[in-house]
Amino acid sequence: RETDILLKAFERITRGKCELMLIAGYSGVGKTALVHQVHKPMTEKRAYFSAGKFDQYKRDIPYSAISLAFNEFCHYMLMEDSETLKGRRENILDAVGSNGQIIIDVIADLELVIGRQPAVASVGLVEAQNRFNLIFHNFIKAVCAQEHPFVLFIDDLQWADSASLKLLKGLMLDDTIKYMLIIGAYRDNEVQRGHPFIEAVDEVRKSGATVSTIELDNLQQGDIKQLLSDSLLSNKQQVTALSELI
């Protein structure tokens, strides 16, 4: 059922939508495993799929998961044939103009795709963040296309830094971004009302953007019994005691 929900969301974004799909559940419940289930069906339809993960001990590093995900995407682009890569390079350069270095400062491997870029003027912290968000939006619109929808999976959103939350929120509030599915996994037992992540999601929902949530529960004893029965080629009665122990 959960796999089907994700695949239907993907089908919608291939028709020009942008959606946020959240996966909530305890640590180890299978959030990441669920996303891996849909990776292949999505990429078989020519989607780009990139993943990043926030780290509890790197919350002071802005955009850490974003950087991981898009460096991975750069590697995908570098594996394209020369003509496709050239087209990608031109689209990105058109989108970022003379501000490519702003993106490279966060996504270092983008330099391998678009080449060295000129330095940009130094500005204040707030101005720098706003400038980065603006150029990043242009970058996203250049890489999300009907022939190549973009799926961005970000794990452990409960540890996201404020700059990343602002960036992700901005992407969802930008109605000019199409062909993009953002999948975000988080530990719902570690976020309560007032948590920055929850507040960002509430703001996106109020804007009218499409936000859905899948809540994953722990496996029940009946599930364990079924797994054991299948694995051990036994009937469910024979594995009852073992399923209780597990």
Side-chain angles (χ1 to χ4, degrees):
R1 184 181 70 86
E2 289 83 0
T3 301
D4 190 52
I5 291 171
L6 282 172
L7 291 175
K8 283 179 177 176
F10 174 73
E11 287 299 324
R12 290 193 295 272
I13 67 109
T14 62
R15 297 192 290 271
K17 303 289 185 180
C18 178
E19 293 194 21
L20 172 63
M21 178 67 69
L22 298 173
I23 305 175
Y26 278 71
S27 174
V29 78
K31 301 183 295 296
T32 306
L34 170 62
V35 177
H36 284 307
Q37 286 287 101
V38 298
H39 179 278
K40 187 175 180 181
M42 290 177 178
T43 54
E44 283 178 343
K45 295 186 177 181
R46 298 181 61 77
Y48 283 117
F49 188 107
S50 289
K53 181 182 178 75
F54 285 108
D55 189 309
Q56 183 178 9
Y57 302 106
K58 295 181 180 178
R59 299 167 79 172
D60 58 331
I61 303 175
Y63 310 117
S64 60
I66 307 291
S67 178
L68 280 172
F70 282 94
N71 277 322
E72 180 182 31
F73 170 58
C74 290
H75 299 162
Y76 291 152
M77 287 194 287
L78 290 167
M79 289 188 287
E80 299 275 17
D81 63 78
S82 58
E83 195 62 32
T84 302
L85 178 59
K86 180 184 176 184
R88 284 283 173 190
R89 181 185 297 117
E90 291 173 352
N91 287 343
I92 294 171
L93 287 171
D94 286 344
V96 300
S98 60
N99 295 297
Q101 187 59 44
I102 293 172
I103 305 295
I104 291 172
D105 287 342
V106 174
I107 308 168
D109 290 344
L110 184 62
E111 186 175 314
L112 301 174
V113 177
I114 64 174
R116 297 190 66 178
Q117 298 297 301
V120 295
S122 180
V123 296
L125 187 61
V126 174
E127 291 87 349
Q129 188 180 52
N130 290 336
R131 183 176 63 180
F132 172 76
N133 288 349
L134 175 63
I135 302 304
F136 192 83
H137 280 222
N138 292 341
F139 168 69
I140 286 292
K141 283 181 270 191
V143 300
C144 296
Q146 186 173 11
E147 63 273 17
H148 287 292
F150 198 99
V151 181
L152 174 64
F153 172 46
I154 301 293
D155 206 353
D156 283 328
L157 272 167
Q158 74 278 354
W159 294 325
D161 59 278
S162 60
S164 294
L165 287 176
K166 183 177 180 180
L167 178 63
L168 293 170
K169 181 177 70 175
L171 292 176
M172 288 305 305
L173 296 177
D174 186 344
D175 57 11
T176 65
I177 293 177
K178 304 180 186 301
Y179 306 109
M180 186 174 196
L181 175 62
I182 301 175
I183 304 174
Y186 69 101
R187 301 179 184 181
D188 54 354
N189 60 306
E190 295 191 20
V191 295
Q192 287 79 36
R193 183 63 54 193
H195 190 285
F197 164 66
I198 296 298
E199 290 185 343
V201 171
D202 286 344
E203 192 172 335
V204 171
R205 278 201 174 99
K206 288 174 184 175
S207 76
T210 304
V211 183
S212 308
T213 302
I214 296 172
E215 296 183 357
L216 288 187
D217 293 322
N218 290 320
L219 293 176
Q220 303 302 307
Q221 187 177 331
D223 304 315
I224 300 298
K225 190 179 291 187
Q226 181 68 58
L227 284 166
L228 289 172
S229 177
D230 289 346
S231 301
L232 303 177
L233 304 178
S234 306
N235 64 49
K236 291 183 180 179
Q237 191 61 38
Q238 289 175 298
V239 298
T240 297
L242 181 56
S243 69
E244 290 173 353
L245 178 64
I246 294 173

